[in-house]
Amino acid sequence: MKASGSPCPLDKLSVIPFKRCPYLRTYLTELFSLLWNSGEIPVNWKRACTVLVHKKGDTSDPSNFRPITLESVPLKIFTSCVRDSMFSYLSSNNYLEHKIQKGFLPKLSGTFEDTAQMAQVINKARVKQRSLVITLLDLKNTFGEVNHNLIPEVLKYHDIPLHIQTIIGNLYSNFHTSIITKSFKTPFIKVGRGVLQGDCLSPLTFNLCFNTFIRYISDPKFAKFGFSTASLNPLHWFQFADDAAVITSLEQENQLLLNHFSRWCN
């Protein structure tokens, strides 16, 4: 289990005391046991601060910043426990599609693997003079567009145990954050859309939402549209978190996959 040590400006509580003081860890374990059984998240833990990290471009445009949520350290530790339990359950039951989705997966260098496979496909098409169509997708504000009504449906779709569904539902119910900068901070704003970037559970929650589409296009009727090589099965879709590459031999087949993706997004 790992959790970021960055303290929330609201309580300024660091992870270091929990690492160095066994008594605190004992009390924290007892508290987590109560939360696990009740499904309730303390109200104070559902208050956070959001800092804006500049990505690129004009600094006067808010869309050029990535919002990172600074939560209470005990909440981060608790959600990391929930995340690890969920990932173990999903992996043991083969719910996650690892061949297509490579983002946010532990012990997997997804970018390197996808890049190597795409290079092989491009080189194969060039040497054999075969038709190849690649469409690169970069979705805008994907993490912020996840509707909170979608999350419980996605958890049910993956047969997540009911008590974990209750915990996650409680976490996303009445969660508030304040945007802070060096010069000002806003009043608390209710988070009504999007996964909580900075929360230990949010990457897996996002992956589960995307996994509903990934499992759909894993059907052999879609995989046959992919580009075939001698050593690999047909490759038709690479997904790394919210970025994707659609690979087919024909333009019509590429467009067909994009049409399915467009309908899923809507």
Side-chain angles (χ1 to χ4, degrees):
M1 179 193 70
K2 293 183 179 180
S4 171
S6 301
C8 174
L10 298 178
D11 60 17
K12 296 182 174 59
L13 183 62
S14 170
V15 73
I16 295 177
F18 296 104
K19 289 183 175 181
R20 297 183 178 179
C21 183
Y23 290 107
L24 282 180
R25 293 201 298 271
T26 299
Y27 289 126
L28 195 63
T29 301
E30 293 177 355
L31 176 59
F32 284 177
S33 179
L34 292 173
L35 299 181
W36 184 268
N37 292 325
S38 68
E40 294 292 328
I41 302 293
V43 175
N44 288 343
W45 288 8
K46 295 195 289 184
R47 295 290 186 273
C49 292
T50 296
V51 295
L52 303 178
V53 179
H54 183 242
K55 296 186 293 184
K56 60 181 179 180
D58 186 3
T59 56
S60 64
D61 184 356
S63 65
N64 289 329
F65 290 81
R66 176 179 290 108
I68 302 298
T69 305
L70 301 179
E71 299 176 331
S72 172
V73 166
L75 177 61
K76 288 184 179 181
I77 300 174
F78 180 67
T79 54
S80 69
C81 293
V82 177
R83 174 204 61 203
D84 292 348
S85 297
M86 282 180 57
F87 186 80
S88 177
Y89 169 81
L90 292 164
S91 298
S92 62
N93 288 280
N94 296 319
Y95 279 118
L96 293 177
E97 174 53 65
H98 298 297
K99 294 181 181 179
I100 295 178
Q101 174 64 276
K102 303 297 175 65
F104 299 138
L105 296 177
K107 300 179 182 180
L108 180 64
S109 180
T111 305
F112 176 79
E113 182 178 339
D114 281 355
T115 302
Q117 286 186 318
M118 286 187 64
Q120 181 184 17
V121 167
I122 294 172
N123 186 61
K124 185 78 172 181
R126 179 183 61 81
V127 172
K128 298 294 184 179
Q129 295 187 343
R130 293 171 55 188
S131 173
L132 175 64
V133 180
I134 300 178
T135 302
L136 303 178
L137 300 175
D138 184 8
L139 302 181
K140 183 179 179 180
N141 190 29
T142 318
F143 302 100
E145 288 296 325
V146 175
N147 195 302
H148 287 182
N149 292 330
L150 174 64
I151 294 176
E153 298 302 321
V154 166
L155 297 177
K156 293 177 184 177
Y157 174 82
H158 291 90
D159 295 325
I160 298 298
L162 184 59
H163 69 284
I164 296 184
Q165 293 185 36
T166 302
I167 290 172
I168 297 176
N170 191 274
L171 174 64
Y172 278 90
S173 173
N174 293 318
F175 194 99
H176 290 74
T177 187
S178 172
I179 312 298
I180 61 172
T181 68
K182 292 182 178 180
S183 57
F184 74 91
K185 65 178 180 179
T186 69
F188 281 105
I189 305 167
K190 183 177 180 180
V191 179
R193 178 184 287 268
V195 295
L196 302 170
Q197 295 189 61
D199 178 77
C200 298
L201 187 58
S202 62
L204 181 57
T205 304
F206 175 82
N207 265 10
L208 289 181
C209 294
F210 232 106
N211 198 54
T212 58
F213 176 73
I214 298 301
R215 292 185 67 179
Y216 175 66
I217 61 169
S218 297
D219 190 284
K221 68 180 180 181
F222 296 115
K224 69 180 181 181
F225 295 152
F227 188 90
S228 299
T229 65
S231 58
L232 298 172
N233 294 325
L235 301 171
H236 66 306
W237 198 288
F238 289 147
Q239 189 74 36
F240 186 77
D242 59 332
D243 298 321
V246 189
I247 300 178
T248 60
S249 296
L250 301 176
E251 184 177 346
Q252 304 95 299
E253 295 173 346
N254 200 283
Q255 186 62 57
L256 179 63
L257 289 171
L258 291 174
N259 291 343
H260 281 289
F261 184 62
S262 178
R263 284 194 290 270
W264 177 83
C265 287
N266 289 329

